[in-house]
Amino acid sequence: MSSPVAVSRQLSNGMRAVIEPDRWSPGSWSLIVDGTPQSHVDLDDPSRLFFEYVQRIGHVIDEWGEAGQPMTALHLGAGALTLPRYIESTRPGSRQQVVELEEELVAFVREHLPLPRRASIRVRYGDARATLARLPAALHGAVDLIVVDVFSGARIPAHVTSLEFHEEVRRFLAPNGIVAVNVADGPGLAFARAQAATLQMAYRDVAALAETGILKGRRFGNVVLIASTSELPLDWMPRLMARGPHPATVTSGRDLVNWIAGAPVATDATAVHSPEPTSGLFSRRD
């Protein structure tokens, strides 16, 4: 039997998308766009998550409601549809909407990494923020999980980081719904702390999840911010920390206020793109 091989496609936006096999994990594939790793998918077991920040969002999904209970989810940003696959695997019968700007990219992913036939996953194409206004009215106040994972190349666009954007997102949340935001930032975490301050203005309760060194601002990485219009269950926090990946930090309450340390709230008038990743961050050695 021949070994799986990488496939690539030049997108109309000028970026090159590559799907390549993970040589250390048979059945797994990575999606790389313009040299930036975007997603990792295990087709044999979609419940296996690879990227650290995706695992943390997976743990939040696991904590919501009763294990295995279907949920309604909205994903802003598609990648290789890793989390929609995870929800379908761990919570069969869930209803999911995905919003993605790059239709070519999704077509490429679905051609080479097809979704399960039984999955109820609707993909809509367009800018994440603009498409919110075109989503069905029945979703208002009905979404259990909203994942905000929007990138243009390796950076988060400013228009999906503002208070006004999150006020639009908030309209879709069910009373006990959760928003999970993937934030990429470097030493000092000025961007991440401003995002936490912004979420605090838009939602009732906010927590930050990350590898300890990243949350202390020592190096570039991902911070997952979770928020709700209801109070986040306190018993989630030690469980989320215990589940890793380690070393893990979950910051909430007064500790989160201290971590934000007066960072400014991002508005449409002041929002900026996330910083460029550290040089060489995504380079790989064979």
Side-chain angles (χ1 to χ4, degrees):
M1 180 180 299
S2 59
S3 300
V5 296
V7 292
S8 67
R9 180 170 300 177
Q10 189 76 28
L11 305 178
S12 59
N13 61 9
M15 295 184 177
R16 176 165 293 277
V18 179
I19 295 174
E20 63 179 26
D22 182 342
R23 62 180 179 177
W24 306 112
S25 180
S28 296
W29 300 80
S30 295
L31 170 66
I32 301 162
V33 179
D34 245 26
T36 301
Q38 296 279 340
S39 302
H40 185 277
V41 172
D42 187 331
L43 290 181
D44 296 332
D45 183 4
S47 70
R48 289 185 61 213
L49 301 176
F50 180 78
F51 289 166
E52 179 185 54
Y53 83 89
V54 179
Q55 292 180 46
R56 298 191 195 283
I57 297 176
H59 297 332
V60 172
I61 293 168
D62 294 343
E63 289 292 336
W64 179 87
E66 298 179 13
Q69 176 184 347
M71 63 165 37
T72 299
L74 171 61
H75 306 263
L76 303 182
L81 300 155
T82 302
L83 284 171
R85 298 172 198 267
Y86 180 81
I87 290 174
E88 172 57 30
S89 175
T90 61
R91 294 177 176 270
S94 293
R95 297 180 302 166
Q96 303 189 69
Q97 300 263 343
V98 180
V99 178
E100 170 58 46
L101 180 63
E102 301 296 340
E103 185 170 356
E104 277 184 293
L105 180 62
V106 175
F108 178 55
V109 167
R110 296 182 73 165
E111 177 184 353
H112 297 283
L113 306 174
L115 291 169
R117 291 183 180 275
R118 68 180 184 277
S120 177
I121 300 173
R122 168 75 185 273
V123 182
R124 300 174 183 271
Y125 299 103
D127 174 82
R129 183 166 177 177
T131 305
L132 288 175
R134 303 199 300 270
L135 293 176
L139 287 177
H140 290 180
V143 180
D144 303 308
L145 173 76
I146 301 176
V147 178
V148 182
D149 191 13
V150 181
F151 279 77
S152 177
R155 303 180 72 186
I156 304 168
H159 72 295
V160 293
T161 68
S162 69
L163 175 62
E164 292 88 343
F165 166 71
H166 280 286
E167 289 173 340
E168 296 176 42
V169 169
R170 187 180 60 203
R171 292 185 298 127
F172 292 90
L173 272 186
N176 64 338
I178 302 292
V179 176
V181 183
N182 175 31
V183 178
D185 202 1
L189 295 178
F191 180 81
R193 291 188 296 106
Q195 284 297 282
T198 303
L199 266 63
Q200 279 200 322
M201 287 290 291
Y203 305 96
R204 177 179 174 183
D205 205 2
V206 180
L209 292 68
E211 189 270 328
T212 303
I214 292 172
L215 207 58
K216 289 183 177 180
R218 293 173 180 164
R219 61 183 178 84
F220 197 97
N222 298 84
V223 177
V224 174
L225 299 175
I226 58 174
S228 179
T229 56
S230 303
E231 188 173 348
L232 293 168
L234 292 176
D235 60 338
W236 281 27
M237 303 309 161
R239 294 207 298 261
L240 289 171
M241 187 181 299
R243 297 185 68 174
H246 296 293
T249 297
V250 178
T251 302
S252 61
R254 175 51 56 181
D255 289 339
L256 185 72
V257 172
N258 293 338
W259 180 72
I260 291 172
V265 172
T267 67
D268 281 345
T270 63
V272 296
H273 298 325
S274 65
E276 290 278 4
T278 306
S279 178
L281 180 65
F282 301 122
S283 63
R284 293 167 295 158
R285 296 178 181 177
D286 294 331

